[in-house]
Amino acid sequence: MAPAINFKKAYWVLVAGGALYFGFLSLLTNTWVQRQALYVHKVHTIWWEDPNKPELFGFLKSQVQPFTISTKDNETLYAWHVLPLGKYTQNEQALLKKPFDARGSFVDSVAFDLLYRDPTSRLVINFHGNAGTVAQGWRTDTYRGLSSGAPDNIHVVAIDYRGFGYSSGAPDEQGLVMDGIAAVEWAMDVAGIPPERIALVGQSLGTAVAAAVAEHFVRVSKVEFAGVLLAASFSDMQTLLLTYSAKGVIPILSPLRPYPKLQRFFSRYLKDSWDTSSRIESLVRHSDTLNLHLIHAKNDFEIPWKHSETLFYTAANATSDSGLSTRQIDGVKFHQDLQEGGTVDSWNAGGTKKITKRVVKYGGKSEVRPEYDGTKTTSRA
């Protein structure tokens, strides 16, 4: 005999689950709680994996120099300068003979000199996702990969945003954009690297920062970079939350899909909109020589790859004053099917604005990596 179903018990389980869910959403309407959940900046491994000891993460002695960057609103950002392996090998003895002292000035170090005085130096400024530090998880492998295309001259600078790791302050959208601007100004004004030798790379949350920084410089001062590379990007935070599930398991607003009024109600409390779609449109329209790369994994269960597709069409449409439909873009774009390697769509507007979308089959959110497009873009700068 089949066991009897206890409908009363099942009912109260559903009621309890619903109450917990709405309690969770109610907590997220509080600005402080919301930003803790969005940026997850207090979750890190700094207590047992100290970023001030880069050798713990597989780097050679003095290959990575921790230093700080100051922002215009007086926050102090913790940063890494990662020397390309070839450059390190050529100068290993000098680096070991005069190791950088964190109490001194980074501009007096051997590593800085190798970046500053070499006219062939290329620089990738990396903006990581939420949670953790510059040294967390797959991020260190990304730095190695980014310089692998030209191991003699592609340097990497990675920053921890305000409130992350050893950086001061607390994160919000305006603050993180200011942090990105500060990193680029340091690269151009202190390290002396011209923008045509700089690539901006972002992953997940970092894609929103990279897009905002690139848009700021081209709109305010017509400064354009060698490339802007966005891995696992999203169109805007409100749209993302409608489909987002933390770790692909815990949904945020997607259970309310049958109730659009409730979705809109909770969406109104979102403080940091991170409207990358609008910023990409502005970036394309203000740019003369844009080189934009989007990369996403089809098996990204947190940020669906369709977000990168939306950004690709947004960018392609913005290259035309009269606007283009999706069908018109599909009829002109160059499409490659790489089978197990995924697909590549390219849009070339007059030879000066190049937009590429690469959708790979595997990699999820954390392991999809921008190295191939990053090294190709930066080494050609």
Side-chain angles (χ1 to χ4, degrees), residues 114-132:
L114 294 173
L115 171 67
Y116 178 76
R117 297 192 182 280
D118 183 359
T120 69
S121 289
R122 307 291 187 262
L123 179 64
V124 173
I125 302 178
N126 187 88
F127 302 106
H128 64 65
N130 65 355

Side-chain angles (χ1 to χ4, degrees), residues 70-139:
S70 297
T71 69
K72 287 184 177 177
D73 60 341
N74 299 314
E75 299 294 356
T76 300
L77 307 179
Y78 182 84
W80 268 10
H81 168 229
V82 184
L83 276 166
L85 187 58
K87 184 69 69 176
Y88 174 88
T89 303
Q90 296 164 16
N91 298 274
E92 183 177 15
Q93 293 308 311
L95 288 160
L96 295 176
K97 194 174 295 183
K98 188 185 176 184
F100 172 60
D101 186 343
R103 294 169 296 182
S105 173
F106 177 54
V107 298
D108 296 326
S109 69
V110 174
F112 178 84
D113 214 42
L114 294 173
L115 171 67
Y116 178 76
R117 297 192 182 280
D118 183 359
T120 69
S121 289
R122 307 291 187 262
L123 179 64
V124 173
I125 302 178
N126 187 88
F127 302 106
H128 64 65
N130 65 355
T133 69
V134 291
Q136 201 113 342
W138 292 93
R139 290 169 187 168

Side-chain angles (χ1 to χ4, degrees), residues 43-295:
V43 177
H44 54 69
T45 59
I46 206 169
W47 305 115
W48 61 91
E49 291 183 327
D50 187 357
N52 283 321
K53 300 176 181 177
E55 294 80 12
L56 287 173
F57 308 95
F59 292 102
L60 298 168
K61 179 69 175 176
S62 296
Q63 185 184 0
V64 175
Q65 310 290 333
F67 71 105
T68 59
I69 296 171
S70 297
T71 69
K72 287 184 177 177
D73 60 341
N74 299 314
E75 299 294 356
T76 300
L77 307 179
Y78 182 84
W80 268 10
H81 168 229
V82 184
L83 276 166
L85 187 58
K87 184 69 69 176
Y88 174 88
T89 303
Q90 296 164 16
N91 298 274
E92 183 177 15
Q93 293 308 311
L95 288 160
L96 295 176
K97 194 174 295 183
K98 188 185 176 184
F100 172 60
D101 186 343
R103 294 169 296 182
S105 173
F106 177 54
V107 298
D108 296 326
S109 69
V110 174
F112 178 84
D113 214 42
L114 294 173
L115 171 67
Y116 178 76
R117 297 192 182 280
D118 183 359
T120 69
S121 289
R122 307 291 187 262
L123 179 64
V124 173
I125 302 178
N126 187 88
F127 302 106
H128 64 65
N130 65 355
T133 69
V134 291
Q136 201 113 342
W138 292 93
R139 290 169 187 168
T140 53
D141 288 339
T142 296
Y143 310 150
R144 294 184 185 94
L146 286 169
S147 65
S148 63
D152 289 340
N153 59 15
I154 298 182
H155 299 243
V156 177
V157 165
I159 66 166
D160 272 336
Y161 315 114
R162 60 189 62 204
F164 285 70
Y166 290 127
S167 296
S168 65
D172 60 27
E173 181 172 359
Q174 181 181 4
L176 264 64
V177 175
M178 290 180 69
D179 296 344
I181 292 170
V184 171
E185 289 178 340
W186 177 90
M188 295 192 298
D189 300 339
V190 178
I193 308 298
E196 61 269 19
R197 288 199 270 131
I198 296 173
L200 307 184
V201 174
Q203 184 127 13
S204 188
L205 173 66
T207 64
V209 179
V213 171
E215 189 272 340
H216 165 84
F217 277 97
V218 74
R219 175 175 48 82
V220 173
S221 52
K222 291 299 287 185
V223 169
E224 303 200 47
F225 302 100
V228 179
L229 299 103
L230 311 179
S233 55
F234 54 92
S235 55
D236 63 88
M237 187 57 67
Q238 183 172 336
T239 303
L240 175 62
L241 290 178
L242 297 179
T243 57
Y244 181 80
S245 295
K247 298 299 180 184
V249 175
I250 304 171
I252 307 299
L253 292 180
S254 56
L256 299 181
R257 198 173 302 167
Y259 312 101
K261 287 185 178 180
L262 276 175
Q263 281 190 328
R264 288 194 294 271
F265 172 78
F266 284 107
S267 294
R268 286 185 311 183
Y269 289 93
L270 186 63
K271 297 299 181 183
D272 295 342
S273 61
W274 288 111
D275 190 354
T276 298
S277 188
S278 294
R279 283 169 168 152
I280 288 289
E281 181 178 1
S282 175
L283 169 64
V284 174
R285 294 198 184 280
H286 285 92
S287 174
D288 294 323
T289 58
L290 178 65
N291 192 2
L292 173 65
H293 291 256
L294 305 162
I295 183 169

Side-chain angles (χ1 to χ4, degrees), residues 301-316:
F301 300 115
E302 293 190 53
I303 304 176
W305 68 273
K306 288 289 186 180
H307 281 270
S308 285
E309 185 167 83
T310 296
L311 293 177
F312 175 79
Y313 285 115
T314 297

